[in-house]
Amino acid sequence: SSLEGHTSYVLSVTFAPDGKTLASGSSDNTVKLWDAASGSQKSSLGGHIPGNPGCKCTHGHRYRHNPMCPVEGHTDYVRSVAFAPDGKTLASGSDDKTVKLWDAATGSQMSSLEGHT
């Protein structure tokens, strides 16, 4: 089956250790979690924070972040995703030069690791 939900290219996928959840990273700057059995989207990690109807991504070769619009998560392509061995934490690596750690159960961002150049 096909999992649809990203608005741009999917660059990375990985299964959780228990095989029940699939994570995907995309050039739309988001990470999505999927139920592997049903194919339904469980959550979307990152993206624009709702509430400002004037905020839109500008599309070109890359999705570019408008600094006037708040964003949760990554501000550039998500190139890699990986679950911790216990499946409770998901790491995502991005062209924004950060690694984000996410709670796989709630989808909330736990931390942002910066320092790559």
Side-chain angles (χ1 to χ4, degrees):
S1 79
S2 178
L3 308 178
E4 297 180 9
H6 285 291
T7 58
S8 192
Y9 301 110
V10 174
L11 303 173
S12 180
V13 294
T14 189
F15 279 97
D18 65 6
K20 294 180 180 179
T21 301
L22 180 73
S24 58
S26 170
S27 58
D28 67 6
N29 307 347
T30 66
V31 174
K32 296 195 184 294
L33 298 179
W34 309 88
D35 181 289
S38 70
S40 64
Q41 184 178 310
K42 295 168 68 171
S43 59
S44 182
L45 315 180
H48 286 289
I49 300 170
N52 186 345
C55 289
K56 296 179 183 172
C57 283
T58 55
H59 302 268
H61 176 65
R62 292 165 103 48
Y63 282 70
R64 288 186 171 78
H65 169 60
N66 177 347
M68 299 302 291
C69 301
V71 168
E72 292 178 325
H74 291 292
T75 59
D76 210 336
Y77 291 7
V78 178
R79 300 251 180 214
S80 61
V81 287
F83 281 96
D86 65 6
K88 294 180 181 178
T89 304
L90 178 72
S92 58
S94 169
D95 283 356
D96 67 8
K97 301 177 185 171
T98 67
V99 173
K100 308 278 187 197
L101 299 180
W102 308 88
D103 182 305
T106 66
S108 62
Q109 185 178 310
M110 298 164 47
S111 62
S112 180
L113 309 175
E114 301 177 12
H116 292 280
T117 55

